[in-house]
Amino acid sequence: MSDMTNGIETNKALGPKMPPEVAQRLQKALADKGSAYKPRTRHQQAGVPLYTNRLILETSPYLLQHAHNPVNWFPWSPEAFQVAAADAKPVFLSIGYSTCHWCHVMEEESFEDEEIAAHLNQNYVCIKVDREERPDVDAVYMSAVQNLTGGGGWPMSVWLTPQREPFFGGTYFPPRDGVRGARRGFLSVLSELADTFANQPNEVAKAAQALVAAVKLDMEGGNPSGDVPSSGDVPSRKAIDDTVAFYKRAFDPVHGGLRRAPKFPSHMPVRLLLRHHQRTADPQTLHMAVHTLEKMAAGGMYDQIGGGFHRYSTDAQWLVPHFEKMLYDNALLVVAYAEAFQATGRPALARVMAEVLDYVQREMTSPNGGFYSATDADSEGEEGTFFVWSHQEIATILGDEASAFCAHYGITPQGNFEGKNIPSVKQPSEELCTRFASARAKLYEARSKRVPPGRDDKILAAWNGLMISAMAVGGHVLNESKYIAGAARAARFVLNNLKPGDRMIRSHNAGRGENVGFLEDQAFVTAGLLDLFEATGEAQWLREALKLAEATQTHFADEMQGGWFMVPHDGEALLARERPTHDGAEPSGTSVAIMNALRLATLTDDPRWQSVAKRGLVSVRKAIETSGMSVTEALLALDRYWDKPKQIAVVWPVGAQMGAEPLLQVLRTTFVAHRALVAGDVETLTTLSQQVPFVSEKACDDGKAWAYVCEQGRCGLPTSDPAVLKSQLA
């Protein structure tokens, strides 16, 4: 029988008895949750969990999801590896994130299973990691799994020695032999590997040695000689043209994106295509970009009722999504839609941009202004339940409107997803979209009464940086102050709560900041502050961006080979120290840091930033020239490097901004791929002139607002005529 006190299980059948001092800490943490606390486990009596492990002490929503599994989980910590070494046990490392569907499946099937938990507790030291809080740990062991299996994903399952060396790994494992057609289930794999670790130490050591070597080669890469890159090694624009040529061959002319399923938004680099079109006037690249955006927004991957994009489409038509929503996807897509709107003027693109930002402000913004991370795909134990509709439900809610609404949004009695309907639009029409606004509001209200998907409410510095950019860019393009205000509020929160010194920490939740910040935290927040500066002209944002960029050089730069490390120089030493190269669903910290340096070079006329960018581009030259599809964000920076970015200043008399509105509207609605923008009254520009030399002595004569368009400090004639400004920007 068990000895259970306030949910702290010491059942010997499940593993060794927990040390008393640890049990006391867990009891206190559980008691502090209060009477309203609902433990997330099937193992409970009268609302009291039967099991509680060390994850109850953490703030990560993902780790807290597992705090009442019968598995004796540790967080990633020295304590866990010390216990493993003392007990001569292997480590089982499980990595996932809170909105991961298959993570939930493996939890329910295996980690909530008492027999499997007992085997884990008796034979392993078990560690849970939130990949979003510890991307450095995730990257190291994902590299091991990919080298071992040829693929990767989450949940990630890795077997380690007490010295943190991987010797086996995979992703999701069904619980037992035969389940989901598996020849060997998780329990069998656990048993075999525990036996191998105990009885074949030489085989384990050999496997670990090979995997560690592969991880180091994969992650550290770089210039084997260690020489400082030479000045002539920046790749040419041919790499961009070659990459665009690949996308032309792989483009899906019917549905947009790539000819494949599933379809991810990041697989078609819309912003790169827009820049290629602007540089070459190639109509095909503009069509590819805009067609992809329009098809995504018409499909079920876009939440037609509440706004915001789901993670990806499981089919080639953008119809059936994986229903989780990620903050970073929506942030990156807003900027893409903003640029496409500037390039084409199509109202649908502006509408989608506004709807996404409204969704984020309504559902993904904390009371303190920071942005939450994600929402789950599942609710009520099923994926997509919250988002799908029966034909009868809509008929009941909308009444006489239902027939026309259903025709426009593809709602049928038979449904398009497991007997239900995911709203999507076959023939987009802005007129009909406007007509059905009230109907969508009624459905949104009805949907809000359903059990919602879980929300990951941790606030990540990097992802907040991306959404600060989206709010600032979207607010500027749409001339909507509420979005710019949202960006500023989030920026203040991030700087006040996730920047205790000169650099970022990673995450904030439950009133606590957690984990050292990574390169992407530095770079993405810097980019957000630069976008906020250009949207507002407020000097504080540029000052903070410069401070963060300087700290990035101090703490992350690779002085030997150029570029940057993922972890700071004083960060935790893992098996390998990654120099991020490849862009995925999110851009790499390296790609964004290069672009930041180029933007600062344009703004400040400081050649040091151009040199920093140059060394960064050299550091990823191999990837750019051999695998351009994997570094499309770095290609944006490469395109800017070879261009002559425009330096644009708009100045007006104090108190007379309305007179500048015609000029500002030109800037809002014109796509200029590479530029620095400063707009403000005479006093503002005078104050900024020390940091931004190109605004020096920019006057506004005759009480009018004037626009100046410059390149490398050489300016054309100032103008107060919007048509002339438009032609100067062309």
Side-chain angles (χ1 to χ4, degrees), residues 265-266 270-271 293 296 302 307-311 325-339 352-361 364 371-374 460-475 487 490 524-525 527-528 531 585-587 633:
S266 59
V270 166
R271 298 180 67 210
L293 293 176
M296 280 197 299
Y302 183 67
F309 286 90
H310 297 292
R311 180 69 190 89
K325 289 182 181 179
M326 309 301 294
L327 184 71
Y328 61 79
D329 282 324
N330 285 282
L332 294 166
L333 284 167
V334 163
V335 176
Y337 276 86
E339 292 186 349
V352 172
M353 185 184 5
E355 288 176 354
V356 173
L357 293 175
D358 286 340
Y359 149 72
V360 171
Q361 291 201 324
M364 297 297 288
F371 301 116
Y372 298 132
S373 292
L460 294 175
W463 298 4
N464 270 251
L466 294 176
M467 188 51 74
I468 289 167
S469 284
M471 289 277 174
V473 170
F524 295 4
V525 173
D531 286 320
E586 304 167 59
E633 293 285 333

Side-chain angles (χ1 to χ4, degrees), residues 214-351:
V215 168
K216 286 181 176 289
L217 181 64
D218 184 31
M219 299 186 70
E220 294 179 348
N223 179 0
S225 69
D227 295 335
V228 176
S230 65
S231 60
D233 285 339
V234 175
S236 73
R237 268 185 171 149
K238 181 179 182 297
I240 298 172
D241 296 335
D242 290 345
T243 302
V244 169
F246 164 81
Y247 283 108
K248 287 182 176 181
R249 296 191 297 272
F251 181 64
D252 181 342
V254 177
H255 303 292
L258 301 184
R259 291 193 304 272
R260 57 162 294 176
K263 280 187 170 175
F264 289 80
S266 59
H267 285 176
M268 179 58 68
V270 166
R271 298 180 67 210
L272 184 67
L273 296 174
L274 292 173
R275 281 153 178 75
H276 185 270
H277 167 74
Q278 184 164 79
R279 176 165 58 87
T280 66
D282 182 347
Q284 186 178 358
T285 49
L286 179 64
H287 168 74
M288 290 164 62
V290 175
H291 187 63
T292 298
L293 293 176
E294 290 181 336
K295 285 294 185 180
M296 280 197 299
M301 198 187 81
Y302 183 67
D303 182 355
Q304 304 291 338
I305 305 303
F309 286 90
H310 297 292
R311 180 69 190 89
Y312 62 86
S313 173
T314 62
D315 54 44
Q317 294 80 42
W318 307 107
L319 175 61
V320 179
H322 180 45
F323 287 92
E324 65 184 313
K325 289 182 181 179
M326 309 301 294
L327 184 71
Y328 61 79
D329 282 324
N330 285 282
L332 294 166
L333 284 167
V334 163
V335 176
Y337 276 86
E339 292 186 349
F341 169 68
Q342 288 179 316
T344 66
R346 297 192 184 188
L349 302 173
R351 172 181 55 80

Side-chain angles (χ1 to χ4, degrees), residues 546-568:
L546 280 163
K547 289 178 186 177
L548 269 181
E550 292 285 4
T552 304
Q553 293 306 111
T554 300
H555 298 292
F556 294 85
D558 183 347
E559 296 299 338
M560 288 298 295
Q561 299 184 45
W564 301 267
F565 294 104
M566 181 181 191
V567 300

Side-chain angles (χ1 to χ4, degrees), residues 398-467:
L398 297 185
D400 293 343
E401 263 187 306
S403 178
F405 182 92
C406 289
H408 182 63
Y409 285 100
I411 309 297
T412 64
Q414 63 270 25
N416 57 22
F417 175 71
E418 299 178 356
K420 295 290 184 74
N421 290 276
I422 303 168
S424 66
V425 178
K426 292 288 186 186
Q427 306 246 329
S429 162
E430 285 304 288
E431 180 182 352
L432 288 177
C433 185
T434 301
R435 172 185 166 186
F436 292 126
S438 64
R440 292 195 304 275
K442 291 176 186 176
L443 293 176
Y444 181 84
E445 177 65 23
R447 193 176 78 175
S448 68
K449 295 179 173 61
R450 299 175 179 176
V451 177
R455 184 175 64 198
D456 186 330
D457 57 3
K458 69 177 177 291
I459 295 171
L460 294 175
W463 298 4
N464 270 251
L466 294 176
M467 188 51 74

Side-chain angles (χ1 to χ4, degrees), residues 646 666 670 672 709 717 719 721-730:
K646 289 179 167 56
V666 169
T670 303
V672 182
V709 179
L717 292 173
T719 183
D721 185 338
V724 173
L725 175 59
K726 184 83 171 176
S727 68
Q728 290 179 340
L729 296 175

